[in-house]
């Protein structure tokens, strides 16, 4: 028999059959998937219809009496006595808008809470963006009261409709919203918008003692997902946190770095603070307890760019005499020290100005001085003048530090001789070294103390510049926003720890730091002789010459350009001051003469030096006794 072979036509036929079969299988699968999706969608619609509040008969109008009665029965089954409120004309998803020159608010009928908070005079991200800062929009916030009724229902105000009424009290706009269980039985929210960022807010009940279980407090829950409003989401997130006041003026906060939670008693305000804007709830009657949580939403700053953190605050509202009555305030506005401080409600603690002496320096020196300077000159120039003033005030400290280093440098040969002479007797070496210092009128601590005195100023400034609201969106030279980074090059890739841009002021500050450390490191290493058993500081300082500028370059790339500008100018001025001191004020021959004169004069030890001398002599005696044994 002749063997059959596959020809081209047969292969094409098989291929067509396979394509046809695959198409039929795919088409059947797609149809089945569409059927499943349609079925799932229908189930969701059916479920939504079951849980949705039926439209008010007053709104429906055309329904028959029997249908109206059925809907009322359904409402009563869901909301009990508060079904009355759902039958009113206001039982629909409308909002009431109230505004003044700085703030626009929209309050929803459903839930009675602020559904939009728009700051009219501030723009997102960059000046000229035409996108207003909106602290609340698109359901990023909620305000809910949960309570138990006499018939054992657990109800949430966010699910029920309030009846709004707008009136005027002078220049103030008053919005009253009532969740009704009857004509004279209601839970009321009352908003009074004045002419600034703070509005009055009250919660009260009337005639609900027979409806609500007043033996237990009502649970208030306030949530907010903070929208990003600045150029750098990571930098903004660093200064975004929960701050609260408790127990008669104490203040606390949650960590900015990650997820956190805390509890507090007798809380009088809760602030959901973003970098430059805040949402704050204040109360005249303190909350007995409060639970706060903060969730970091920026896991990857390249992707998570819409929100920064999610905040939650839970507080109980206690009944008095069977009724609820709380007078509160809402604040939606800038995280501006001057504005917050003027309310005289301890809101200045919302600002991260530093604790103790650091905060005092900022409050009573830096903020008033910089505010004065910036009132009549551009902000960039104000930073330069401010920097010059700070460095001039600190110049005596710089002078004393350098004189101490110069004296130690002159004594270095004699100290080396003592180290060699008594290298086998550390105690004796220490005694003789102390005698040399005393006779020459030199204190080894004199160089450290001036440096320590500068730390409070350094830390206060580190807190001041990122927190000073007035720098936001103010430009200087190539920097378009002194409160954010000053990118001169945008990179097509992301560098870990550095970012996707190159800021110029940190580069200039790094160069200035490098030359400053080059100038001072040699004198410091000469002034501080190596101690036995201790690392050689001269080698460490040589390494720090390169590490310090590199750290400035990397970590300040995303920081406020105003802060980098300050460090650049500060280091330039310090270099100039050190040059003048070194070459025109403090001469080595003069230092030699001073030390020689001090050595020739009899020196009387102070009590501290006497005590140290006695302790060293006792230790030396004990060591001799141990050696004899």
């Amino acid at each position: 028999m002749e063997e059959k072979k596959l020809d081209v036509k047969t292969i094409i036929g098989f291929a067509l059959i396979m394509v046809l079969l695959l198409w039929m299988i795919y088409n059947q699968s797609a149809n089945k998937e569409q059927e499943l999706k349609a079925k799932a969608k229908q189930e969701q619609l059916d479920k939504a219809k079951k849980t949705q509040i039926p439209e008010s008969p007053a709104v429906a109008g055309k329904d028959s009496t029997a249908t109206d009665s059925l809907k009322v029965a359904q409402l009563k089954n869901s909301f009990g006595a508060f079904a009355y409120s759902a039958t009113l004309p206001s039982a629909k998803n409308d909002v009431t808008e109230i505004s003044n020159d700085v703030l626009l608010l929209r309050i929803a009928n459903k839930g009675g809470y602020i559904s939009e908070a728009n700051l009219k005079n501030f723009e997102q991200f960059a000046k000229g963006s035409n996108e207003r800062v909106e602290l609340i929009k698109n359901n990023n916030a909620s305000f809910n009261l949960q309570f138990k009724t006499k018939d054992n229902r657990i109800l949430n105000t966010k699910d029920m409709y309030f009846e709004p009424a707008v009136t005027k009290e002078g220049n103030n706009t008053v919005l009253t919203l009532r969740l009704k269980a009857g004509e004279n039985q209601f839970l009321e929210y009352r908003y009074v918008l004045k002419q600034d960022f703070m509005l009055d807010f009250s919660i009260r009940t009337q005639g609900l003692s027979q409806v609500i279980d007043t033996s237990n407090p009502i649970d208030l829950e306030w949530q907010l997902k903070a929208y990003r409003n600045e150029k750098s989401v990571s930098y903004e997130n660093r200064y975004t946190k929960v701050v609260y006041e408790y127990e008669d003026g104490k203040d606390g906060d949650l960590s900015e770095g990650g997820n956190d939670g805390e509890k507090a008693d007798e809380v009088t305000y809760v602030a959901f603070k973003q970098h430059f804007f805040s949402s704050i709830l204040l109360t005249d009657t303190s909350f007995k307890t409060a639970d706060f949580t903060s969730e970091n939403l920026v896991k990857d700053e390249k992707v998570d760019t819409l929100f920064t953190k999610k905040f939650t605050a839970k507080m109980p509202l206690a009944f008095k005499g069977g009724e609820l009555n709380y007078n509160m305030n809402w604040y939606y506005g800038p995280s501006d020290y001057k504005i917050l401080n003027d309310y005289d409600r301890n809101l200045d603690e919302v600002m991260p100005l530093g604790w103790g002496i650091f905060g005092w320096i900022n409050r009573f020196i830096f903020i008033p001085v910089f505010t004065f300077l910036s009132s009549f000159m551009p902000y960039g120039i104000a930073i330069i003048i401010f920097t010059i003033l700070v460095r001039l005030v600190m110049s005596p400290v710089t002078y004393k530090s350098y004189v101490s280093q110069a004296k130690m440098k002159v004594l270095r040969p004699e100290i080396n001789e003592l180290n060699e002479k008594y290298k086998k007797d550390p105690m004796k070496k220490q005694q003789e070294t102390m005698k040399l210092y005393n006779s020459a009128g030199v204190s080894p601590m004199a160089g450290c103390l001036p440096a320590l005195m500068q730390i409070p100023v350094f830390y206060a400034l580190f807190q001041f510049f990122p927190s000073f609201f007035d720098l936001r969106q103010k430009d200087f030279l190539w920097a378009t926003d002194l409160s954010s980074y000053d990118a001169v090059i945008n990179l097509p890739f992301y560098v870990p720890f550095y970012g996707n841009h190159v800021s110029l002021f940190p580069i200039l500050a790094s160069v200035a730091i490098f030359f400053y450390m080059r100038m001072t490191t040699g004198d410091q290493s000469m002034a501080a002789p190596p101690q036995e058993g201790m690392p050689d500081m001269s080698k460490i300082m040589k390494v720090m010459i390169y590490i310090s500028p590199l750290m400035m370059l990397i970590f300040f790339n995303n920081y406020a350009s105003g802060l980098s500008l300050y460090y650049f100018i500060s280091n330039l001025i310090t270099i100039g001051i050190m040059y003048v001191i070194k070459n025109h004020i403090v001469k080595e021959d003069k230092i030699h003469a001073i030390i020689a004169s001090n050595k020739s004069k009899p020196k009387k030890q102070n009590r501290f030096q006497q005590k140290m001398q006695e302790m060293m002599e006792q230790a030396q005696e004990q060591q001799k006794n141990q050696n004899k044994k």
Side-chain angles (χ1 to χ4, degrees):
M1 288 180 66
E2 185 181 354
E3 187 179 354
K4 293 184 179 180
K5 295 182 180 180
L6 291 176
D7 57 9
V8 175
K9 294 181 180 180
T10 306
I11 293 173
I12 293 173
F14 276 120
L16 290 173
I17 293 170
M18 287 296 295
V19 169
L20 182 62
L21 288 173
L22 288 172
W23 180 82
M24 292 174 64
I25 292 170
Y26 172 79
N27 191 49
Q28 185 178 3
S29 176
N31 290 336
K32 189 174 182 180
E33 186 177 354
Q34 288 179 354
E35 289 175 5
L36 289 172
K37 285 183 178 179
K39 185 178 180 181
K41 188 174 181 180
Q42 186 61 42
E43 287 177 355
Q44 288 180 351
L45 290 171
D46 293 341
K47 187 177 180 181
K49 286 179 181 179
K50 290 179 182 178
T51 56
Q52 188 178 13
I53 299 175
E55 187 181 12
S56 162
V59 176
K62 296 181 181 179
D63 288 355
S64 65
T65 304
T67 305
D68 291 348
S69 300
L70 178 61
K71 289 185 176 180
V72 170
Q74 291 175 340
L75 289 169
K76 285 184 177 180
N77 186 55
S78 298
F79 301 110
F82 288 99
Y84 178 88
S85 193
T87 63
L88 299 174
S90 59
K92 51 187 176 180
N93 290 326
D94 282 352
V95 296
T96 303
E97 183 177 298
I98 57 176
S99 67
N100 56 23
D101 291 340
V102 296
L103 193 61
L104 184 148
L105 302 174
R106 292 186 176 92
I107 294 90
N109 288 5
K110 187 176 182 180
Y113 57 84
I114 297 171
S115 59
E116 290 185 43
N118 185 313
L119 304 183
K120 292 183 175 181
N121 302 323
F122 301 103
E123 295 174 311
Q124 279 188 318
F125 310 125
K127 191 174 181 180
S129 66
N130 294 322
E131 293 184 37
R132 300 300 171 192
V133 171
E134 294 181 275
L135 300 182
I136 302 177
K137 65 176 180 179
N138 298 333
N139 298 316
N140 73 310
S142 68
F143 183 86
N144 180 56
L145 301 185
Q146 185 179 85
F147 56 88
K148 186 179 180 181
T149 63
K150 291 285 188 180
D151 54 356
N152 293 321
R153 302 173 192 272
I154 303 297
L155 300 180
N156 294 283
T157 56
K158 65 181 180 180
D159 298 327
M160 295 184 284
Y161 290 98
F162 288 67
E163 184 179 40
V166 180
T167 57
K168 281 283 187 179
E169 291 182 0
N171 293 325
N172 303 331
T173 303
V174 180
L175 171 61
T176 303
L177 296 108
R178 290 178 175 177
L179 174 63
K180 293 185 174 182
E183 190 59 40
N184 295 309
Q185 295 175 296
F186 53 80
L187 166 68
E188 179 185 271
Y189 293 166
R190 189 172 188 266
Y191 299 88
V192 181
L193 182 62
K194 302 177 182 179
Q195 302 307 308
D196 58 5
F197 300 103
M198 183 83 76
L199 60 151
D200 295 341
F201 174 64
S202 63
I203 301 175
R204 73 181 186 97
T205 60
Q206 178 177 303
L208 294 181
S209 56
Q210 300 302 314
V211 179
I212 295 178
D213 179 8
T214 58
S215 62
N216 294 307
I218 286 180
D219 293 325
L220 183 159
E221 182 177 67
W222 177 32
Q223 292 187 347
L224 175 73
K225 286 175 69 176
Y227 275 108
R228 168 199 175 190
N229 289 305
E230 311 304 326
K231 281 201 303 183
S232 173
V233 65
S234 59
Y235 190 58
E236 180 178 3
N237 200 30
R238 188 178 293 120
Y239 295 96
T240 299
K241 62 179 179 178
V242 176
V243 183
Y244 56 91
E245 182 187 59
Y246 68 106
E247 294 179 3
D248 297 325
K250 296 180 183 178
D251 57 273
D253 57 14
L254 270 59
S255 170
E256 305 102 319
N259 300 340
D260 196 9
E262 286 185 9
K263 293 184 179 181
D265 297 328
E266 303 301 329
V267 173
T268 44
Y269 74 67
V270 184
F272 293 164
K273 179 195 173 296
Q274 298 170 238
H275 188 184
F276 284 122
F277 300 95
S278 291
S279 306
I280 308 174
L281 176 63
L282 307 94
T283 177
D284 293 346
T285 304
S286 61
F287 304 123
K288 188 174 181 181
T289 61
D291 291 339
F292 309 110
T293 62
S294 174
E295 179 186 353
N296 183 25
L297 302 178
V298 184
K299 310 298 182 184
D300 183 350
E301 62 185 77
K302 300 189 294 294
V303 178
D304 304 322
T305 58
L306 184 60
F307 299 102
T308 53
K309 287 187 174 72
K310 179 181 178 181
F311 302 127
T312 302
K314 296 180 181 180
M315 294 82 71
L317 304 182
F319 287 92
K320 290 184 180 180
E323 298 290 356
L324 205 65
N325 194 354
Y326 276 79
N327 292 319
M328 304 181 186
N329 298 92
W330 285 110
Y331 175 87
Y332 292 103
S335 301
D336 186 333
Y337 173 81
K338 298 187 293 297
I339 293 175
L340 295 174
N341 191 50
D342 285 345
Y343 286 112
D344 198 23
R345 300 284 295 271
N346 203 31
L347 293 179
D348 58 301
E349 296 296 339
V350 171
M351 304 304 301
L353 298 176
W355 54 272
I357 188 173
F358 312 117
W360 300 338
I361 292 172
N362 276 324
R363 285 179 174 86
F364 304 119
I365 300 176
F366 289 164
I367 290 177
V369 170
F370 192 83
T371 300
F372 170 74
L373 292 174
S374 60
S375 65
F376 60 88
M377 63 178 65
Y379 281 90
I381 302 299
I383 290 175
I384 293 173
I385 302 300
F386 177 76
T387 309
I388 293 171
L389 291 176
V390 171
R391 294 316 305 167
L392 288 176
V393 170
M394 299 301 296
S395 60
V397 176
T398 305
Y399 172 77
K400 287 184 178 181
S401 178
Y402 182 77
V403 168
S404 176
Q405 291 175 18
K407 288 180 178 180
M408 294 290 289
K409 182 180 177 181
V410 169
L411 288 177
R412 178 68 181 269
E414 295 182 58
I415 293 173
N416 288 339
E417 289 179 10
L418 292 175
N419 289 341
E420 183 64 28
K421 184 177 181 180
Y422 300 105
K423 62 182 179 182
K424 295 183 179 180
D425 190 350
M427 192 62 65
K428 182 66 174 176
K429 179 180 68 176
Q430 190 70 21
Q431 282 182 311
E432 293 301 320
T433 302
M434 291 299 293
K435 285 179 182 179
L436 175 62
Y437 287 150
N438 186 47
S439 65
V442 175
S443 172
M445 295 298 294
C448 299
L449 290 176
L452 291 174
M453 290 174 62
Q454 295 185 66
I455 290 177
V457 175
F458 175 85
Y459 183 78
L461 287 165
F462 189 78
Q463 295 292 105
F464 168 76
F465 279 103
S467 302
F468 197 67
F469 182 85
D470 289 358
L471 293 178
R472 184 178 187 268
Q473 295 182 356
K474 300 299 190 302
D475 57 357
F476 179 65
L477 299 178
W478 57 84
T480 58
D481 187 346
L482 287 169
S483 71
S484 188
Y485 56 80
D486 57 310
V488 291
I489 299 175
N490 292 312
L491 303 174
F493 50 85
Y494 185 88
V495 180
F497 303 109
Y498 186 73
N500 60 352
H501 62 271
V502 176
S503 298
L504 185 52
F505 276 130
I507 295 175
L508 296 176
S510 300
V511 172
I513 287 175
F514 174 78
F515 283 106
Y516 167 70
M517 295 192 73
R518 280 284 300 268
M519 176 183 287
T520 59
T521 297
D523 292 334
Q524 289 174 356
S525 60
M526 287 293 292
Q531 300 293 323
E532 188 175 345
M534 298 294 290
D536 189 347
M537 291 302 297
S538 63
K539 294 181 179 179
I540 295 175
M541 293 303 295
K542 286 178 181 178
V543 174
M544 290 302 296
I545 289 176
Y546 302 97
I547 291 179
S548 295
L550 184 62
M551 290 176 64
M552 165 66 77
L553 187 66
I554 292 174
F555 292 112
F556 277 66
N557 191 58
N558 289 293
Y559 268 64
S561 54
L563 183 61
S564 299
L565 171 61
Y566 168 83
Y567 285 130
F568 170 55
I569 300 299
S570 178
N571 281 292
L572 284 183
I573 295 170
T574 305
I575 289 171
I577 291 173
M578 291 295 292
Y579 178 83
V580 171
I581 292 173
K582 187 174 182 179
N583 294 281
H584 299 285
I585 298 177
V586 178
K587 301 283 189 178
E588 275 199 30
D589 54 349
K590 291 182 179 180
I591 296 295
H592 274 290
I594 292 170
I595 290 176
S597 175
N598 289 336
K599 285 181 178 181
S600 64
K601 297 176 183 177
K603 286 287 180 182
K604 185 179 179 180
Q605 291 183 330
N606 59 38
R607 296 181 67 178
F608 175 75
Q609 289 172 326
Q610 289 175 355
K611 192 68 177 176
M612 289 293 295
Q613 184 71 22
E614 290 172 3
M615 290 173 63
M616 279 192 255
E617 289 175 354
Q618 289 174 4
Q620 188 177 16
E621 190 64 31
Q622 289 175 359
Q623 189 176 5
K624 286 181 179 179
N625 294 333
Q626 288 177 355
N627 292 335
K628 287 178 181 180
K629 293 178 181 180

